[in-house]
Amino acid sequence: MCGIIGVIGNAPVTPSLVEALKRLEYRGYDSAGVATLVNGHIERRRTEGKLVNLEARLAKDPLPGTIGIGHTRWATHGKPSERNAHPIATDQVAIVHNGIIENFQELKNELVAEGRRFDSDTDTEVVAQLLTSNLERQMSPQQAMGKAMERLRGAFALVALFTGRHDILMGARRGSSLAVGHGDGEMYIGTDALALAPFTKRVTYLEDDDWVVLTAKGATIYQGQTEVKREVRQSGISGAMMGKGNHRHFMLKEIHEQPSVIGDTLQTYLEPATRLVTLPALPCDWTKVSRLTMTACGTAFYACMVAKYWFERLARLPVDIEVASELRYREPPMSENGVCIAVSQSGETVDTLAALRYAKAQKQTILSVVNVPESAIARESHAVLPTLAGPEIGVASTKAFTTQLTVLLAAAIGAGRARRNLSREEEMRLAGALIELPAHINAAIGMEEQFRWIGQEILADARDVLYIGRGSSFPIALEGALKLKEISYIHAEGYAGGEMKHGPIALIDEMVPVVVVAPSDAVFDKIASNFEQVKARGGKLVLLSDAEGVSRLGSQAAASIILPRVEPAVAPILYTVPVQLLAYYTAVAKGTDVDQPRNLAKSVTVE
Ligand code: F6R
């Protein structure tokens, strides 16, 4: 979703603004713009579409200035167009904004009644007009911002540039993330540490309802009218982590990183010598936990679906799972001594955050599995189980998902041990399977040519693709279908194999490929029957299994992939990799924008 950057210093800022916007492209956007002060006046360049368009505009019509703001916009109010692109400006102030001003209509009515004319269809413009109205009442920029914050409802992060004020930039956040970067004679403000990475590693994360005044020398942060202190932290993100390396796309790079990031994650959660799980100190006693609720959105929700199998089987713990956008409005009663686990790569997904807050209000102990340790979800949890995936730039989640699964399996093993449901031998066997996993994933990645062939020859021309799996392979079928539709725009659905005959089998003909996720496990015979049922109706089958499964069913498949045979508990992690690569090579064959698929945003900070 929208990305924000602001820079104040003594050198021309436009190149830095554009550089930071490139780092924010991963969030998804459909227009972009920058504004600086030129001789005290706000000057803007804005374009619809990708940043190359903005760069071309700037090449034709350069923008000088030593103070400026920039934005990538993912449209919410008002279609993607130059007119609605940020910065949104009046003659007094220019604003970049992420989030939604929920009471914008009420504020707009008031401002229009005052005689103000609106130039865009955005909710953001009410902030610009409100600040202008306050400034015209002889308030200082600081007073104007403080007063405006009192009127705004919703979740937002914004940065403002004021006419005639080369000496200050102001920012404010409520809900959406915003961070200050500390340079040497230059200060920065941006959506996240990734945006600030080209300039500085010294970062201050603003908290909800903070607003900040930046000068070239430093930052003063306020809550209401009171000045507050916030820590300056060292960001772990380096410029090198942000490149594609030798890969054509970030998504491919991130798929390839999985053996190493899963290995890094395991180093935190497993003791290789003893083969025992080592969880951080948690504020819950698993023996007393009555119920576990897990919540997330999209791919992260599928991690919850897989983890339900693990916690139920390994820890004999009752588990409820629900997508956060439903949980937050359903108001379910939650049991005493309950634990809620929120799972999120970004840690900023607005629905997941709201579901977490609901569970907290229901007195649940909140654990979160997040990839961004400074995120709102991490900060609002009682304890954090970090995934060590590193920055994930491709919009379609890959390494974040497999590290979420790795952490959740370790947590389920830890809970199983605490609840005396797992013997030491069993724990060691599961830990051993996890330790071997990076090597098996490497082997799967090594079959890239086969995935390329299936993507190109079987999937790329299909109009619809079905994915089926049973048991803990069912969520992987859902994940495979989601990945394919996200990046190749082919309609795809995931089903529990047993459900095929209750409806979806009507869709089967020789034009509909069916990808079968079928490791040799306790339900293999069942999925084998579903495979036969599809085959009998002329379906084109792609089989993902191990040598045993392929020797039983492979002769009837249009294509088979032979994966290493693994302990069934870790199979969902391994079998994710082939569905990622199938989606990737199908999208490449179709020539779509793999890393920034249309309409999608990386971090979903609006409802
Ligand atoms: C799919 C994908 C999304 C995210 C979802 C949640 O490839 O990336 O479905 O999983 O938007 O995002 P986080 O994990 O940041 O809460």
Side-chain angles (χ1 to χ4, degrees), residues 171 327 343 571 605:
L327 176 63
V343 182
T605 50

Side-chain angles (χ1 to χ4, degrees), residues 46-126:
R46 299 177 296 164
T47 48
E48 199 184 322
K50 296 291 181 194
L51 278 179
V52 283
N53 300 349
L54 181 65
E55 288 184 284
R57 173 73 56 83
L58 285 165
K60 257 201 253 145
D61 199 0
L63 197 56
T66 57
I67 177 171
I69 57 182
H71 192 259
T72 46
R73 172 172 188 254
W74 189 84
T76 58
H77 293 68
K79 64 179 185 176
S81 64
E82 183 170 333
R83 181 169 164 265
N84 290 329
H86 299 205
I88 295 289
T90 66
D91 59 349
Q92 295 290 314
V93 66
I95 298 283
V96 287
H97 163 225
N98 173 22
I100 288 182
I101 308 298
E102 284 173 0
N103 57 338
F104 89 97
Q105 196 57 56
E106 171 196 329
L107 293 172
K108 187 169 177 176
N109 294 345
E110 275 177 34
L111 290 157
V112 168
E114 259 180 39
R116 306 208 156 267
R117 228 198 60 232
F118 280 69
D119 288 330
S120 76
D121 311 313
T122 63
D123 55 335
T124 306
E125 192 168 353
V126 297

Side-chain angles (χ1 to χ4, degrees), residues 297-300 344-346 349 395-397 404 482-483 486 602 604:
C297 298
T299 287
S344 174
Q345 186 285 126
S346 61
T349 301
V395 164
S397 189
Q404 284 161 358
L482 178 66
K483 275 310 77 110
E486 277 185 297
K602 182 76 185 154
V604 183

Side-chain angles (χ1 to χ4, degrees), residues 533-557:
Q533 290 154 6
V534 172
K535 185 71 204 165
R537 284 151 186 91
K540 203 187 277 178
L541 287 145
V542 175
L543 176 64
L544 308 177
S545 189
D546 43 39
E548 197 179 317
V550 172
S551 77
R552 276 186 58 185
L553 298 172
S555 61
Q556 300 178 65

Side-chain angles (χ1 to χ4, degrees), residues 248-580:
R248 182 164 161 199
H249 295 103
F250 280 108
M251 183 178 175
L252 189 61
K253 175 185 172 229
E254 289 160 5
I255 290 172
H256 277 249
E257 280 173 354
Q258 291 177 112
S260 86
V261 295
I262 289 174
D264 292 346
T265 305
L266 286 174
Q267 281 199 350
T268 304
Y269 293 93
L270 277 187
E271 180 55 62
T274 58
R275 300 206 160 192
L276 285 178
V277 161
T278 49
L279 295 180
L282 295 179
C284 60
D285 175 350
W286 288 115
T287 60
K288 300 211 169 76
V289 174
S290 57
R291 205 166 189 88
L292 177 59
T293 306
M294 302 188 69
T295 191
C297 298
T299 287
F301 176 69
Y302 298 147
C304 300
M305 274 182 90
V306 176
K308 178 176 164 75
Y309 290 85
W310 289 331
F311 277 99
E312 286 176 348
R313 184 161 300 164
L314 304 177
R316 301 301 299 155
L317 194 56
V319 183
D320 292 322
I321 51 170
E322 188 156 11
V323 287
S325 53
E326 290 299 318
L327 176 63
R328 64 180 292 192
Y329 293 115
R330 206 164 51 80
E331 302 185 6
M334 291 184 160
S335 35
E336 225 178 291
N337 287 327
V339 167
C340 174
I341 303 185
V343 182
S344 174
Q345 186 285 126
S346 61
E348 299 290 344
T349 301
V350 72
D351 285 321
T352 309
L353 185 58
L356 174 160
R357 287 176 179 161
Y358 174 78
K360 208 172 187 181
Q362 297 290 308
K363 304 206 173 355
Q364 306 295 289
T365 302
I366 310 292
L367 310 181
S368 61
V369 176
V370 292
N371 198 38
V372 181
E374 308 81 12
S375 61
I377 289 175
R379 286 202 310 262
E380 295 197 22
S381 303
H382 296 119
V384 177
L385 297 168
T387 50
L388 287 105
E392 189 178 67
I393 307 295
V395 164
S397 189
T398 52
K399 60 177 181 167
F401 178 62
T402 48
T403 52
Q404 284 161 358
L405 290 176
T406 305
V407 170
L408 288 166
L409 179 51
I413 296 171
R417 177 177 68 208
R419 290 167 71 86
R420 301 195 194 292
N421 195 58
L422 275 186
S423 65
R424 191 185 152 101
E425 290 66 41
E426 218 166 336
E427 178 171 356
M428 286 170 71
R429 194 174 52 75
L430 291 167
L434 271 169
I435 290 167
E436 286 167 12
L437 194 57
H440 293 318
I441 291 180
N442 242 333
I445 292 172
M447 297 173 211
E448 234 162 335
E449 270 316 304
Q450 295 176 59
F451 296 112
R452 189 199 306 272
W453 184 86
I454 298 172
Q456 203 165 298
E457 303 299 325
I458 299 183
L459 301 181
D461 291 330
R463 209 190 61 183
D464 309 286
V465 178
L466 297 184
Y467 286 72
I468 59 172
R470 298 190 75 139
S472 56
S473 298
F474 166 41
I476 305 311
L478 291 168
E479 170 63 1
L482 178 66
K483 275 310 77 110
L484 189 75
K485 66 183 122 179
E486 277 185 297
I487 61 169
S488 74
Y489 314 145
I490 295 173
H491 170 243
E493 298 296 339
Y495 282 99
E499 276 294 293
M500 284 293 286
K501 54 192 172 299
H502 299 291
I505 203 158
L507 298 173
I508 301 297
D509 63 22
E510 60 287 354
M511 303 307 288
V512 181
V514 180
V515 179
V516 184
V517 185
S520 292
D521 59 13
V523 288
F524 182 82
D525 288 341
K526 309 290 167 200
I527 194 85
S529 306
N530 306 137
F531 181 101
E532 303 285 358
Q533 290 154 6
V534 172
K535 185 71 204 165
R537 284 151 186 91
K540 203 187 277 178
L541 287 145
V542 175
L543 176 64
L544 308 177
S545 189
D546 43 39
E548 197 179 317
V550 172
S551 77
R552 276 186 58 185
L553 298 172
S555 61
Q556 300 178 65
S560 302
I561 295 285
I562 304 177
L563 293 157
R565 173 108 196 228
V566 291
E567 146 65 42
V570 303
I573 313 179
L574 174 64
Y575 278 68
T576 298
V577 177
V579 299
Q580 294 169 344

